Amino acid sequence: MPATAELIGATVALFGVGILTLCSVRSITRRRPRPVTADAER
């Protein structure tokens, strides 16, 4: 039984790290300003 609990805990931890990574990547890409080109001003 302890091996099963350890496996579940590791899975939950990896899932949490994945969610945090996804959220931080999305916030970083959202913050980056888009370059202004001459075509966009017309």
Side-chain angles (χ1 to χ4, degrees):
M1 199 57 134
T4 305
E6 191 173 332
L7 182 63
I8 291 172
T11 304
V12 170
L14 284 174
F15 182 73
V17 168
I19 293 293
L20 289 175
T21 303
L22 182 65
C23 290
S24 61
V25 166
R26 288 186 68 188
S27 68
I28 289 170
T29 55
R30 203 177 307 139
R31 263 186 259 156
R32 188 173 299 159
R34 294 169 56 182
V36 178
T37 60
D39 295 334
E41 295 175 359
R42 292 181 188 171

